[in-house]
Amino acid sequence: MELNRRTVIAGAAAAGMAATTLGGTAHATGGRKPVKKLFGKLADGTKVYSWSLENGGTRLTVLSYGGIVQSLEVPDRRGRYANISAGFDNLEDYVAKSPYFGALIGRYGNRIGKGQFTLDGKKYQLSVNDGDNSLHGGAKGFDKRVWDVEPFVKGSDVGLRLYYTSVDGEMGYPGTLKTKVTYTLTRHGDWRIDYAATTDKATVVNLTSHVYWNLAGAGSGTIEDHELQIAASRYTPTDSGLIPTGELAKVAGTPFDFRKAKRIGRDIRIAHPQLVTAKGFDHNWVLDKGITARPEHVATLRDPASGRTLKIATNEPGLQFYSGNFLDGTLTGPSGHTYRQGDALCLETQHFPDSPNKPSFPSTVLRPGQTYRTTTIHSFGC
């Protein structure tokens, strides 16, 4: 019989592990102010810190560099903890090699075709860093910036507020964008992300998180046996540069149908033109719920071997599922194992890629006087 998380965490606590019950009983650090440590220094001498926080049986470590989730640990069905977020144990690798491991992404998550868009009759040229396209905000997006971090404890919640101001013209984007991202660990062990931003000039914004998940443990091997369900009847096919064509294609009868949970590896090697182009899954799913006032459940990921589950709720209209296609075995994580193709996956809540060039897609325009707000909640179980 599969155990629920309350039983697992209680068992872990009884075994002397740092854990809490879902009733909110504090363990060693639960409900206390996050712990700050020096993680490293950039080439210009800027100090980068790590912040460790724990609540509800979830342990989270975040870097001030890129707002990166360096580790996220939860128990399996037997109460054994593992880090389920791929990353590195040193700053140098994050700076020189990282494929966005665990990072905050901005100003624009995903791709913008040819790094160009027109807004209010003016054409903007962005930083191009993915062939002819701009990816995840350009060559030095939010993932490569040092954020100001403010820890907090609020009731039974504990978390971090991260701040970054992107000046007018940075990476080609118009307007000075003031960004605040709040990471919260709840007493239930949920990891909640609240994004907020304002601008002094019309611009486009699409913020997201780029955690690479492996529920069996980072560096433990393939995610092809993970089971995934996505509440989406359509997806956005792409061209050879992975830019959406503008079509909202039906998933029915294709490898992209995850409306019922299925093994990721079941269809990933089918010779479907979209899978061949992307070397696997690297597409935006059009969530059936659309844009909502509050986060709604949209996806469930499960590892049958460990029993760990991840449920995602968001108010965003899209979800990018990336199956780790470009991990090539040249990167090594804290476990001492290399990350190979398909050893981790991303589930990025978002507006659609290339929306500034696709009038039929939900708008990503932000204007002065408006506040950009989105929320994504990650709930863990076993």
Side-chain angles (χ1 to χ4, degrees):
M1 180 177 71
E2 188 166 298
L3 303 177
N4 63 38
R5 194 164 189 238
R6 181 188 298 273
T7 304
V8 168
I9 294 173
M17 302 177 71
T20 62
T21 68
L22 290 183
T25 302
H27 50 65
T29 59
R32 297 183 181 179
K33 194 172 182 178
V35 177
K36 177 183 179 182
K37 293 182 180 179
L38 181 65
F39 187 72
K41 293 182 180 180
L42 298 177
D44 64 1
T46 301
K47 293 180 179 179
V48 171
Y49 294 95
S50 70
W51 295 85
S52 298
L53 50 157
E54 188 171 358
N55 206 7
T58 299
R59 306 167 180 169
L60 178 66
T61 300
V62 175
L63 305 182
S64 57
Y65 179 79
I68 287 169
V69 172
Q70 198 240 342
S71 69
L72 193 153
E73 298 176 78
V74 293
D76 66 8
R77 62 165 64 92
R78 297 174 63 184
R80 299 174 300 187
Y81 274 78
N83 172 27
I84 60 172
S85 170
F88 301 115
D89 59 6
N90 65 89
L91 180 60
E92 291 75 18
D93 281 351
Y94 278 111
V95 172
K97 303 177 181 180
S98 182
Y100 305 99
F101 278 154
L104 274 177
I105 301 298
R107 288 190 192 189
Y108 199 96
N110 222 301
R111 295 172 174 85
I112 294 180
K114 300 189 183 305
Q116 299 176 349
F117 68 92
T118 300
L119 179 59
D120 295 338
K122 183 175 180 179
K123 185 175 181 179
Y124 293 93
Q125 177 62 57
L126 308 175
S127 166
V128 171
N129 62 329
D130 181 54
D132 293 333
N133 306 315
S134 183
L135 174 65
H136 294 330
K140 194 175 181 181
F142 288 5
D143 60 295
K144 297 177 178 66
R145 306 289 178 172
V146 176
W147 292 65
D148 293 325
V149 181
E150 174 186 270
F152 70 89
V153 176
K154 185 177 181 181
S156 59
D157 293 342
V158 60
L160 304 170
R161 299 183 184 96
L162 298 95
Y163 301 91
Y164 177 69
T165 297
S166 175
V167 299
D168 184 22
E170 185 175 281
M171 296 295 102
Y173 288 90
T176 294
L177 190 78
K178 294 184 177 180
T179 307
K180 174 186 175 182
V181 179
T182 304
Y183 289 168
T184 304
L185 283 187
T186 73
R187 67 186 182 90
H188 298 298
D190 295 345
W191 173 41
R192 177 180 175 127
I193 311 176
D194 291 287
Y195 305 89
T198 59
T199 184
D200 62 358
K201 185 186 297 185
T203 191
V204 295
V205 187
N206 190 28
L207 307 180
T208 191
S209 172
H210 210 289
V211 172
Y212 282 71
W213 303 105
N214 185 321
L215 298 185
S220 65
T222 182
I223 47 82
E224 289 192 11
D225 288 331
H226 283 36
E227 297 169 353
L228 178 63
Q229 177 269 333
I230 304 174
S233 302
R234 296 177 182 272
Y235 77 105
T236 52
T238 65
D239 63 19
S240 60
L242 301 183
I243 300 298
T245 62
E247 179 187 5
L248 305 183
K250 293 181 179 180
V251 302
T254 78
F256 295 85
D257 192 349
F258 284 90
R259 290 174 295 175
K260 294 182 179 179
K262 69 175 181 181
R263 284 182 61 252
I264 289 171
R266 194 185 83 177
D267 297 332
I268 199 169
R269 303 196 188 283
I270 289 177
H272 187 285
Q274 287 290 308
L275 293 178
V276 172
T277 297
K279 298 181 171 59
F281 295 106
D282 191 5
H283 295 77
N284 170 69
W285 269 253
V286 180
L287 299 173
D288 289 340
K289 70 173 189 62
I291 299 173
T292 48
R294 290 183 173 86
E296 295 185 11
H297 174 244
V298 296
T300 299
L301 182 69
R302 179 176 179 268
D303 172 38
S306 68
R308 293 187 184 94
T309 61
L310 164 63
K311 293 184 178 180
I312 295 178
T314 188
N315 55 2
E316 289 276 38
L319 179 75
Q320 185 84 8
F321 165 37
Y322 168 57
S323 55
N325 314 328
F326 298 103
L327 298 176
D328 59 5
T330 61
L331 306 177
T332 303
S335 67
H337 292 89
T338 59
Y339 298 118
R340 302 166 303 170
Q341 186 180 50
D343 277 357
L345 64 92
C346 301
L347 296 168
E348 305 155 64
T349 56
Q350 61 179 16
H351 270 53
F352 305 167
D354 204 36
S355 289
N357 295 311
K358 301 289 191 298
S360 62
F361 286 1
S363 175
T364 56
V365 174
L366 180 69
R367 298 186 180 279
Q370 299 175 335
T371 300
Y372 170 97
R373 296 187 190 278
T374 71
T375 297
T376 295
I377 302 171
H378 306 80
S379 300
F380 306 97
C382 48

